[in-house]
């Protein structure tokens, strides 16, 4: 059968998926709604910077250019980096810009037949079914709609764009009664810098929310208006945010991003020995959390403003709710150009906001809702089939059930890349895209559907254990090495990426550890090197080991 592949979205995930599929000889078509690559990085607040140091957010085979000296590059530098990557690897010719996908529909197999399958797609293979996908595409330049066919679809639409999460209000208490202006942070971030600056200038502004985007926008408003028109942040919950990646002089990666740190956590599918070890080491995990929290409390005035989280930092890390504090944010709080107001409830009135605990309504000119996105619903809306819509949403008490964080056991010939988060999404997504290309190229078969569903359930239980009420966020930030180990084993690659036992256990993992995965079936580890027989596989791709990849 034909092996036509369509990728939806040309953000970071879409670029990686396309690059690795092209390397396997595929000719994918990428549909991108915008006129540029970059995904959510195209539309961010002016002050937005990379949350990771650039060495931790880097393509394994395309390094940051020397011209970028910043440790945390600006959003425009990230965009240029993605565009350079797309040009360098010949991805751009595969992209059809200004093409909005209205929906996808699977045809050729009945629901009854699919329900009878024991293996994914009937055979466990990427192209095993006689079914195909119909992709409805609106070309906004030509103002025409076409139906494209493909045997496989890769959804790379992201979770943090497209469909804003607007809080529900009782009748007569929503934004419609407010005499001022209300907008979502998505719409604010879509403005060009000059327009955004003019919008907030000399205005009284209220921000609803407390996470990364809310903090960034509040800082911009404070910089523009100072103490004369302080920005008010109304928030319900607080999170642990890092003032820097150095915790009492120790890099955050040595505390939370190495194999030893993952030994302290109960992992999905772990052995009895590892489970016992995680239980025995749980006091150490608690001590590391308190060690980290003590630094944050010392460095930031959390107690002064009553914003010390009651939960552990492990909770925020496991739900991907942790971030670096925006530069200057607490300075603005101290000087009075940002005012913090914690409240469980608020509503609109004609004059502004009625906030629980406040004697008088707040009277802003502009309210910006930094209340997140409906990522699950956005994903569901891609499917025209009510059956697939129901399947993709799973159950209210479980996250979206994705095997290897990519493949839904009950939806054939489709992968979802970029939905699951980590602390550094780039390199974990790159490993997934290599796995996906390996799978599409016919090098492995997926297990029984029930096995896949059991695996997804184990990950859901892990999320409930460590992320609490945020379990639906599909975050692997607490155990990214464990997740990548599974993908490497599936591909037949050595999952232990470092050459020395001490480094393997204690050094942080990052992008460089997953470079040239295909060549790493070679031996690693002192015991294997000393006692295992050598053969042809140990000398595969010798030429690639001497290459130093640099930007063109």
């Amino acid at each position: 059968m034909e092996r036509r592949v369509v990728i939806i979205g040309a953000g970071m995930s879409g670029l990686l998926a396309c690059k690795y599929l092209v390397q396997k000889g595929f000719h994918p078509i990428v549909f991108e709604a915008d006129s540029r690559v970059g995904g959510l990085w195209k539309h961010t607040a002016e002050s937005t910077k990379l949350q990771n140091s650039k060495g931790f957010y880097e393509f394994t085979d395309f390094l940051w250019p020397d011209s970028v000296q910043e440790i945390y590059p600006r959003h425009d530098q990230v965009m240029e980096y993605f565009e350079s990557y797309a040009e360098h690897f010949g991805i751009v010719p595969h992209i059809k810009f200004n093409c909005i996908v209205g929906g996808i529909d699977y045809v050729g197999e009945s629901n009854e037949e699919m329900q009878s399958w024991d293996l994914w797609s009937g055979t466990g293979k990427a192209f095993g079914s006689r079914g195909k996908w119909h992709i409805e595409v609106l070309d906004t330049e030509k103002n025409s709609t076409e139906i494209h066919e493909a045997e496989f679809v890769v959804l790379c639409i992201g979770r943090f764009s497209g469909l804003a999460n607007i809080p529900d209000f009782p009748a007569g208490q929503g934004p419609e009664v407010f005499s001022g202006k209300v907008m979502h942070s998505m719409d604010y971030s879509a403005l060009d810098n000059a327009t955004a600056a003019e919008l907030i200038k000399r205005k009284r502004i209220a921000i609803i929310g407390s996470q990364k985007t809310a903090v960034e926008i509040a800082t911009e408003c404070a910089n523009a208006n100072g103490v004369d028109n302080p920005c008010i942040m109304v928030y319900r919950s607080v999170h642990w945010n890092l003032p820097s990646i150095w915790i009492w002089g120790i890099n955050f990666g040595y505390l939370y991003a190495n194999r030893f740190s993952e030994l302290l956590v109960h992992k999905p599918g772990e052995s009895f020995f590892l489970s016992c070890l995680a239980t025995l080491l749980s006091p150490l995990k608690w001590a590391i959390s308190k060690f980290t929290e003590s630094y944050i409390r010392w460095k930031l005035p959390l107690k002064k403003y009553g914003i010390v989280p009651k939960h552990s930092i492990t909770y925020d890390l496991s739900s991907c709710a942790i971030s670096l504090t925006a530069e200057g944010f607490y300075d603005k709080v101290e000087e009075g150009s940002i005012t913090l107001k914690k409240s469980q409830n608020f509503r609109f009135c004609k004059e502004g906001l009625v906030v629980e605990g406040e004697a008088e309504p707040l009277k802003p000119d502009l309210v910006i809702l930094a209340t997140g996105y409906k990522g699950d619903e956005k994903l569901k809306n891609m499917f025209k089939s009510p059956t697939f819509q129901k399947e993709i949403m799973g159950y209210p008490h479980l996250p979206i059930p994705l095997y290897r964080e990519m493949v839904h056991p009950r939806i054939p010939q489709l992968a979802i890349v970029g939905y699951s988060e980590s602390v550094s999404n780039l390199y974990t997504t790159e490993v997934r895209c290599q796995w996906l290309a390996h799978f599409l190229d016919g090098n492995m078969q997926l297990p029984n559907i029930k096995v896949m569903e059991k695996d997804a359930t184990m990950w859901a239980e892990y999320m409930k254990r460590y992320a609490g009420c945020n379990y639906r966020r599909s975050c692997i930030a607490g155990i990214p090495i464990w997740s990548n180990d599974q993908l490497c084993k599936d591909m037949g690659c050595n999952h232990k990426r470092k050459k020395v036992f001490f480094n393997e256990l204690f050094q942080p993992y990052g992008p460089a550890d997953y470079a040239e995965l295909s060549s790493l079936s070679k031996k690693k580890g002192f015991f294997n090197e000393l006692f295992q027989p050598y053969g042809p596989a140990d000398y595969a791709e010798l030429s690639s080991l001497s290459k130093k990849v640099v930007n063109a």
Side-chain angles (χ1 to χ4, degrees):
M1 66 182 298
E2 291 189 76
R3 303 198 308 169
R4 295 171 295 185
V5 180
V6 160
I7 300 170
I8 301 174
M12 174 261 290
S13 301
L15 296 180
L16 283 164
C18 184
K19 182 253 191 180
Y20 282 104
L21 285 174
V22 169
Q23 283 188 349
K24 293 291 187 180
F26 289 89
H27 301 280
I29 298 175
V30 184
F31 293 115
E32 168 54 46
D34 216 315
S35 59
R36 299 174 67 188
V37 304
L40 61 85
W41 286 100
K42 295 189 295 287
H43 305 296
T44 63
E46 183 180 9
S47 60
T48 300
K49 292 184 177 181
L50 195 61
Q51 287 283 294
N52 306 107
S53 61
K54 63 182 179 183
F56 200 58
Y57 192 89
E58 185 172 64
F59 295 106
T60 62
D61 53 2
F62 192 76
L63 310 184
W64 282 91
D66 294 337
S67 59
V68 178
Q69 296 295 312
E70 293 85 351
I71 297 176
Y72 303 101
R74 303 183 310 271
H75 67 93
D76 58 306
Q77 293 172 312
V78 177
M79 274 294 298
E80 291 172 3
Y81 181 49
F82 286 165
E83 289 174 334
S84 297
Y85 179 83
E87 291 285 350
H88 180 77
F89 287 106
I91 299 171
V92 176
H94 294 271
I95 304 174
K96 293 185 179 295
F97 293 103
N98 302 301
C99 287
I100 300 174
V101 174
I104 59 176
D105 196 23
Y106 188 71
V107 298
E109 302 277 12
S110 67
N111 288 334
E112 292 75 16
E113 188 167 359
M114 287 188 283
Q115 287 297 319
S116 70
W117 289 341
D118 291 324
L119 294 173
W120 185 79
S121 288
T123 63
K125 299 178 181 178
F127 300 98
S129 169
R130 65 175 181 268
K132 62 184 66 174
W133 287 96
H134 285 179
I135 302 100
E136 181 184 290
V137 181
L138 170 64
D139 187 323
T140 56
E141 288 189 327
K142 298 178 181 177
N143 194 28
S144 62
T145 299
E146 294 183 354
I147 302 297
H148 293 259
E149 289 188 352
E151 279 67 44
F152 203 96
V153 168
V154 185
L155 284 178
C156 301
I157 57 176
R159 297 176 59 184
F160 303 106
S161 64
L163 189 59
N165 179 37
I166 306 295
D168 294 323
F169 298 92
Q173 298 181 14
E176 71 280 357
V177 303
F178 177 44
S179 60
K181 182 177 178 62
V182 181
M183 67 191 308
H184 192 270
S185 58
M186 177 181 73
D187 301 311
Y188 174 82
S189 298
L191 301 174
D192 62 77
N193 293 340
T195 303
E198 186 61 31
L199 174 69
I200 64 177
K201 190 175 180 180
R202 293 186 296 274
K203 287 188 176 69
R204 296 168 297 176
I205 299 171
I207 310 290
I208 309 298
S210 64
Q211 291 200 279
K212 177 177 176 290
T213 301
V215 170
E216 289 174 345
I217 296 175
T219 305
E220 287 188 11
C221 294
N223 288 333
N225 298 318
V227 296
D228 294 332
N229 288 309
C231 176
I232 301 173
M233 282 188 66
V234 180
Y235 60 94
R236 178 178 297 172
S237 57
V238 292
H239 301 277
W240 292 103
N241 291 319
L242 299 174
S244 76
I245 62 170
W246 295 95
I247 310 299
W248 297 118
I250 301 175
N251 188 288
F252 186 82
Y254 284 93
L255 299 174
Y256 290 101
N258 56 18
R259 284 197 182 276
F260 183 76
S261 68
E262 295 194 6
L263 289 177
L264 316 183
V265 178
H266 287 283
K267 299 168 285 295
E270 67 186 354
S271 65
F272 177 75
F273 171 75
L274 289 178
S275 178
C276 291
L277 191 61
T279 300
L280 290 172
L281 294 175
S282 58
L284 180 58
K285 177 170 69 69
W286 177 88
I288 292 173
S289 295
K290 294 305 175 186
F291 176 79
T292 306
E293 292 164 17
S294 69
Y295 175 77
I296 299 173
R297 295 177 66 160
W298 172 75
K299 192 72 174 177
L300 302 177
L302 304 184
K303 186 175 181 180
K304 179 178 179 179
Y305 295 101
I307 52 176
V308 179
K310 294 181 180 180
H311 55 264
S312 165
I313 193 172
T314 302
Y315 174 93
D316 280 341
L317 177 67
S318 301
S319 57
C320 291
I322 195 168
S323 62
L324 285 173
T325 304
E327 186 177 350
F329 174 76
Y330 283 101
D331 293 335
K332 298 299 178 182
V333 174
E334 293 274 19
E335 75 178 20
S337 54
I338 295 177
T339 302
L340 304 175
K341 293 189 180 295
K342 185 176 182 180
S343 176
Q344 292 302 307
N345 295 291
F346 76 95
R347 61 181 176 86
F348 286 91
C349 63
K350 184 177 181 181
E351 296 82 9
L353 294 171
V354 177
V355 177
E356 186 178 67
E358 295 293 316
E360 297 290 333
L362 307 180
K363 299 179 180 180
D365 303 306
L366 170 65
V367 177
I368 300 177
L369 302 172
T371 47
Y373 297 85
K374 295 181 178 179
D376 292 1
E377 189 172 334
K378 176 185 176 183
L379 186 59
K380 183 190 78 170
N381 292 344
M382 291 299 302
F383 297 92
K384 292 192 173 183
S385 163
T387 300
F388 285 170
Q389 287 184 347
K390 181 179 179 181
E391 293 284 6
I392 200 65
M393 293 301 288
Y395 300 94
H397 60 283
L398 292 174
I400 290 179
L402 297 178
Y403 178 73
R404 298 297 190 249
E405 301 296 316
M406 284 179 283
V407 178
H408 192 290
R410 299 284 178 179
I411 301 181
Q413 294 167 233
L414 178 132
I416 300 167
V417 181
Y419 184 84
S420 180
E421 303 175 77
S422 68
V423 170
S424 180
N425 285 325
L426 196 156
Y427 87 88
T428 53
T429 299
E430 185 164 2
V431 177
R432 289 176 193 158
C433 288
Q434 292 186 67
W435 181 95
L436 180 62
H438 188 81
F439 171 54
L440 264 64
D441 200 33
N443 297 305
M444 62 183 179
Q445 178 177 312
L446 295 184
N448 182 286
I449 288 175
K450 293 189 181 301
V451 172
M452 296 169 68
E453 290 178 332
K454 181 180 178 181
D455 182 85
T457 300
M458 287 191 296
W459 277 89
E461 291 170 352
Y462 157 77
M463 285 298 298
K464 283 188 173 183
R465 181 170 193 159
Y466 289 104
C469 63
N470 287 328
Y471 63 88
R472 285 190 68 89
R473 291 193 63 153
S474 298
C475 172
I476 65 164
I479 49 172
I481 304 171
W482 182 260
S483 176
N484 284 341
D485 282 355
Q486 294 178 327
L487 301 176
C488 288
K489 290 175 184 178
D490 289 346
M491 291 185 282
C493 299
N494 194 329
H495 63 286
K496 294 183 178 179
R497 315 299 300 167
K498 301 180 188 291
K499 295 181 180 179
V500 180
F501 175 78
F502 182 87
N503 295 346
E504 182 65 47
L505 194 58
F506 295 107
Q507 275 195 356
Y509 260 67
D513 295 301
Y514 295 98
E516 299 179 353
L517 276 178
S518 61
S519 68
L520 292 172
S521 58
K522 296 181 241 334
K523 295 174 175 54
K524 283 200 170 186
F526 177 76
F527 182 88
N528 293 343
E529 184 64 43
L530 192 59
F531 295 108
Q532 278 195 356
Y534 262 68
D538 297 299
Y539 298 96
E541 302 181 19
L542 277 177
S543 60
S544 68
L545 300 179
S546 63
K547 292 179 182 177
K548 174 70 174 177
V549 181
V550 296
N551 289 355

